[in-house]
Amino acid sequence: MPQTDLRDEIYPHIAPEFYTWLLFQSEVENKHFDVEGIGPVEVRLEDRLTFASDGEDKSRTVVTGTDAPASAETKAALISGKVITDAKLVLRLPGNSYMLTLKGDLCDISSLKQVSEDADESTIVIEEDDTKDAFLLLRMQEYEDIVRIIQTLFKAFVKERATDDWYSTTLQEMRRWVHDEV
Amino acid sequence: MKLIKGARTMRRYSIDGKPDQTESDWLTRIQNQFQMHAFENAANNQRTEEQLGWVVGDSLLDADFSRLDKWYLEPYIYGQFRVDKKALPSNLFRALLDLRVKEWLTTNNRDRIPKRDKDDIRDVLSAELYAKTLPKIKVVEFCWNVDQEYLILMNLSDSFNEKFCDHFYTTFGLGLRVQTPLMFLDAGDPDIESMTKCGVSGFKARALKE
């Protein structure tokens, strides 16, 4: 009989916990993550966060605006027990930046696009003369890079979350920030 | 193609197995499987209810997989999953059915219509209205990395994803396992079990004093 793979199950607490950790990395820690084959990557949460109540009442709260990640509304939502369900973020790689939203329990990638931080426009424009095949290969390579980055971030999160230090150190620092004691 | 243009939204799957590429005709086999489960008569609207199948990446009207370059670019197999659905306006259907039943009663000088005759009228009316109704067409791109055994579907609707997985299995005999966050970890990672049990951290409490 095949063994059950725990990784196949969807655990509704894991993605929200990861998103909250990403928020903390973006707003407080401000560090770069070294991604194999890509280099240092910076993560910044952007202008839209979606929260849901953790209990039976599944009401949604959306916090928008350029200062959404550090806003009083975001902190109030966390203090009230709401969890982050969707997080819009920018990944800054050497030479490139990508904007995307991580959605729901599966960390689905939504609205992924390359952005020029100067012009706020895609830096690659598809021209008539470019072949479709070349662009398909390029886009899939980009996608695979993005997945590798998210995987690196998730592994870094798990490394912290799965240790006892989470409760004595990381969570305390996150609470300090949420309650404006940083 | 959404795969290459604009902002992209996608769900990722692991594939249980891959085509045996040591066999020289493996792509022909995939081609035949695509063709066998392609969207039938893609340019025709004269159908009822739901119809689904594969079409190539460039056009929802093209269900011809005979040319390899329309759906294969090593190591990727790509295309679109098309689902057409027709729905009749139920209030209009009921009103027209009542009208035709009344006409039948008058023509046949009867007070009641036998069930079989009413069913016949319903079938004819339904076929007439379906023929006049355009389907709602949903077409979603996918890209399958054969070497790395994963697939992305450019859609997040659970019901659509379910239909896709069923049709993929029917076509290729390969199961799709949706990518969960824990799949970012290796199967033997010692932290998997503790992550399944850790729960959500609360922020109601303030930090402990240092």
Side-chain angles (χ1 to χ4, degrees), chain B residues 82-96:
Chain B
R82 175 172 164 181
V83 178
D84 284 20
K85 219 171 188 176
K86 282 188 177 182
L88 300 180
S90 56
N91 49 2
L92 176 66
F93 184 83
R94 271 198 306 274
L96 287 171

Side-chain angles (χ1 to χ4, degrees), chain B residues 126-187:
Chain B
S126 160
E128 280 175 18
L129 291 183
Y130 271 127
K132 289 179 190 168
T133 307
L134 284 174
K136 275 189 182 165
I137 299 175
K138 188 150 190 167
V139 61
V140 173
E141 290 171 30
F142 67 91
C143 189
W144 169 10
N145 184 323
V146 179
D147 289 349
Q148 293 183 30
E149 297 177 39
Y150 78 81
L151 177 148
I152 54 170
L153 179 66
M154 313 291 280
N155 180 278
L156 301 184
S157 148
D158 289 337
S159 59
F160 192 88
N161 273 256
E162 206 174 303
K163 271 183 197 153
F164 177 87
C165 293
D166 288 348
H167 198 61
F168 190 87
Y169 185 78
T170 306
T171 306
F172 302 109
L174 296 170
L176 296 175
R177 291 188 301 148
V178 71
Q179 167 93 30
T180 68
L182 285 181
M183 284 184 183
F184 286 131
L185 306 178
D186 298 329

